[in-house]
């Protein structure tokens, strides 16, 4: 019986050794898997960080593009709104000269017919300017506004409040909502 017991013990020992070896191999695989897992986890974290950076850059580029598009749209709208500004600015002295010419007193009947013709041309000219959005800046009995008026002189006159416009020396004009020439005025102190 002893031999059988010894053999059984040897078989059991071999089985235990094989089981231990198998457990060792399994443990080694687990350790290798854990190491690979740690390496894989490191790669995953690095890739996640790169993805986040690229996502952030993409969002910034999209925001910059949207801002560029909005700014370009506003500039185009402003260009269209004030497209006639340069020609209007050049025509304002012509309008001033027309007004000066029409203020001259004429007694000759033939010259009066010429003046009537000039008045018709002036009215037509003024209508065209108004159709383009040119408006005269109001000055009569108005308070001085540095955004609309340019004070050339200060005087002390009875019947006017402080900073009230006393006299217009040169008419001012604005194109839509933009001042293209401020009115030159005398202001009460």
């Amino acid at each position: 019986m002893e031999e059988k017991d010894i053999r059984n013990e040897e078989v059991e020992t071999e089985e235990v050794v094989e089981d231990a070896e198998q457990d060792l191999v399994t443990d080694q695989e687990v350790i290798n898997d854990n190491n690979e897992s740690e390496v894989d986890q490191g790669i995953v974290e690095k890739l996640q960080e790169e993805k986040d950076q690229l996502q952030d850059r993409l969002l910034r580029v999209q925001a910059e593009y949207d801002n560029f598009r909005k700014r370009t749209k506003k500039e185009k709208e402003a260009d269209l709104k004030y497209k006639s500004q340069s020609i209007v600015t050049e025509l304002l002295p012509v309008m001033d000269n027309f007004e000066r010419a029409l203020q001259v007193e004429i007694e000759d009947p033939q010259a009066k017919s010429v003046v009537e013709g000039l008045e018709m041309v002036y009215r037509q000219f003024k209508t065209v300017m108004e159709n383009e959005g040119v408006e005269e800046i109001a000055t009569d009995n108005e308070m001085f506004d540095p955004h609309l008026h340019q004070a050339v002189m200060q005087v002390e006159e009875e019947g006017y409040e402080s900073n009230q416009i006393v006299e217009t020396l040169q008419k001012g004009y604005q194109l839509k909502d933009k001042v293209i020439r401020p009115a030159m005025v005398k202001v009460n102190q």
Side-chain angles (χ1 to χ4, degrees):
M1 266 192 125
E2 285 185 8
E3 269 184 49
K4 281 185 180 181
D5 286 338
I6 293 176
R7 276 190 187 169
N8 283 339
E9 281 183 29
E10 285 179 2
V11 170
E12 285 180 14
T13 307
E14 284 178 15
E15 287 177 1
V16 169
V17 169
E18 283 178 11
D19 286 344
E21 285 178 354
Q22 198 168 20
D23 287 344
L24 184 60
V25 168
T26 305
D27 288 346
Q28 190 64 32
E29 287 176 359
V30 168
I31 290 170
N32 287 341
D33 285 347
N34 285 342
N35 286 340
E36 287 177 15
S37 226
E38 289 173 10
V39 170
D40 289 346
Q41 187 65 26
I43 291 172
V44 167
E45 287 175 3
K46 184 177 178 182
L47 290 174
Q48 182 67 34
E49 187 177 317
E50 286 179 20
K51 183 193 119 250
D52 291 344
Q53 288 174 350
L54 289 173
Q55 183 85 20
D56 186 51
R57 279 183 55 200
L58 175 66
L59 291 174
R60 289 176 193 261
V61 168
Q62 284 177 333
E64 287 176 14
Y65 177 71
D66 286 344
N67 290 339
F68 170 75
R69 197 178 40 153
K70 289 175 186 174
R71 185 174 56 248
T72 304
K73 183 180 176 184
K74 284 182 184 178
E75 288 172 356
K76 284 182 182 178
E77 288 172 356
D79 286 346
L80 288 174
K81 188 174 183 179
Y82 303 114
K83 70 180 187 244
S84 59
Q85 180 176 349
S86 62
I87 192 150
V88 166
T89 303
E90 301 235 0
L91 290 174
L92 290 180
V94 175
M95 191 170 220
D96 292 338
N97 289 334
F98 255 121
E99 290 172 352
R100 281 187 210 106
L102 294 174
Q103 288 175 352
V104 174
E105 293 288 327
I106 297 180
E107 295 178 14
D108 185 14
Q110 289 179 340
K112 283 188 178 186
S113 64
V114 172
V115 170
E116 288 174 5
L118 284 175
E119 286 176 347
M120 288 183 355
V121 173
Y122 172 73
R123 283 193 303 270
Q124 186 179 15
F125 182 65
K126 193 170 180 178
T127 302
V128 169
M129 296 289 269
E130 288 170 356
N131 290 341
E132 280 298 312
V134 177
E135 297 175 6
E136 187 177 315
I137 295 173
T139 56
D140 294 337
N141 297 321
E142 295 287 322
M143 297 304 288
F144 177 75
D145 180 355
H147 301 301
L148 302 174
H149 310 115
Q150 180 179 355
V152 180
M153 298 173 66
Q154 278 193 325
V155 293
E156 282 190 42
E157 292 206 18
E158 294 290 322
Y160 293 97
E161 295 178 33
S162 178
N163 281 337
Q164 187 174 7
I165 296 172
V166 174
E167 182 181 349
T168 303
L169 302 174
Q170 182 183 38
K171 290 182 179 180
Y173 294 93
Q174 57 187 27
L175 177 61
K176 299 186 171 93
D177 58 350
K178 184 177 182 181
V179 175
I180 54 176
R181 184 175 82 184
M184 295 193 332
V185 295
K186 282 186 192 178
V187 179
N188 196 37
Q189 287 184 340

